[in-house]
Amino acid sequence: MHSPLVEQFKAYFQDLRKSDLSQLEDLYERHIIFKDPIHKIEGLVPLQDYMHNLCTNLTECRFEYLDILEGQDCAYIKWIMHFRHPKLGNRLISLRGMSHIQFQEKIVFHEDVYDMGAMIYEQLPLLGRIIRWLRQRLAN
């Protein structure tokens, strides 16, 4: 059984488009540090702004949880994010990744790790074909 905070985290991000952004303050400390391959955000209000913009631009965003490794004050949560974005053809894209969270009473640090190439570059028509061709060549 996982800690209540980890379960709350999973439930919140299960379907991000349906999540209430005002509930982020129930999960995250006021001085939260959030990182992903594109951003480093410090503070709850900037994180709320980021999530608002993210939800506005996505037509679907849900997480399928694969595995969790939890310690006393941290957790590593492996997931597949299924999302649709109009600028990426609005087709369903599935991306594997992992969240590392550190917490006390609330989350103080959250880092998402995923393959940026698989998320964006491989979804672009010409560049995607080139990247897939290169991956295939390197695998052989």
Side-chain angles (χ1 to χ4, degrees), residues 68-79:
I68 298 174
L69 178 62
E70 186 173 349
Q72 185 173 351
D73 60 355
C74 69
Y76 296 87
I77 304 164
K78 189 174 175 183
W79 42 256

Side-chain angles (χ1 to χ4, degrees), residues 3-136:
S3 71
L5 187 61
V6 170
E7 291 300 323
Q8 185 181 358
F9 176 89
K10 286 174 45 187
Y12 184 85
F13 287 100
Q14 183 99 33
D15 189 340
L16 191 55
R17 295 269 309 147
K18 294 180 181 175
S19 296
D20 181 354
L21 292 177
S22 68
Q23 291 178 350
L24 281 175
E25 63 190 28
D26 296 336
L27 274 177
Y28 292 103
E29 189 62 49
R30 185 164 61 103
H31 300 290
I32 178 69
I33 295 175
F34 173 87
K35 293 171 71 175
D36 68 14
I38 306 171
H39 307 91
K40 180 177 181 186
I41 298 168
E42 297 183 30
L44 183 60
V45 172
L47 181 60
Q48 288 171 319
D49 292 343
Y50 167 73
M51 291 292 182
H52 173 74
N53 289 335
L54 181 68
C55 290
T56 300
N57 293 323
L58 292 170
T59 53
E60 180 179 346
C61 186
R62 58 188 167 76
F63 287 81
E64 173 186 348
Y65 299 106
L66 304 174
D67 195 18
I68 298 174
L69 178 62
E70 186 173 349
Q72 185 173 351
D73 60 355
C74 69
Y76 296 87
I77 304 164
K78 189 174 175 183
W79 42 256
I80 299 175
M81 177 174 66
H82 305 281
F83 71 100
R84 295 177 195 272
H85 194 290
K87 291 183 180 177
L88 296 174
N90 212 31
R91 67 187 180 286
L92 187 64
I93 299 168
S94 296
L95 176 71
R96 291 177 68 98
M98 189 261 319
S99 295
H100 170 216
I101 59 173
Q102 296 175 349
F103 46 87
Q104 293 157 4
E105 291 180 25
K106 295 181 182 181
I107 299 169
V108 296
F109 177 82
H110 176 174
E111 181 176 18
D112 285 341
V113 179
Y114 52 85
D115 181 353
M116 190 66 180
M119 180 179 192
I120 295 177
Y121 308 127
E122 287 185 26
Q123 308 309 318
L124 302 173
L126 180 59
L127 191 54
R129 280 192 292 266
I130 293 169
I131 291 172
R132 286 188 295 277
W133 177 80
L134 281 172
R135 283 186 190 226
Q136 184 178 14

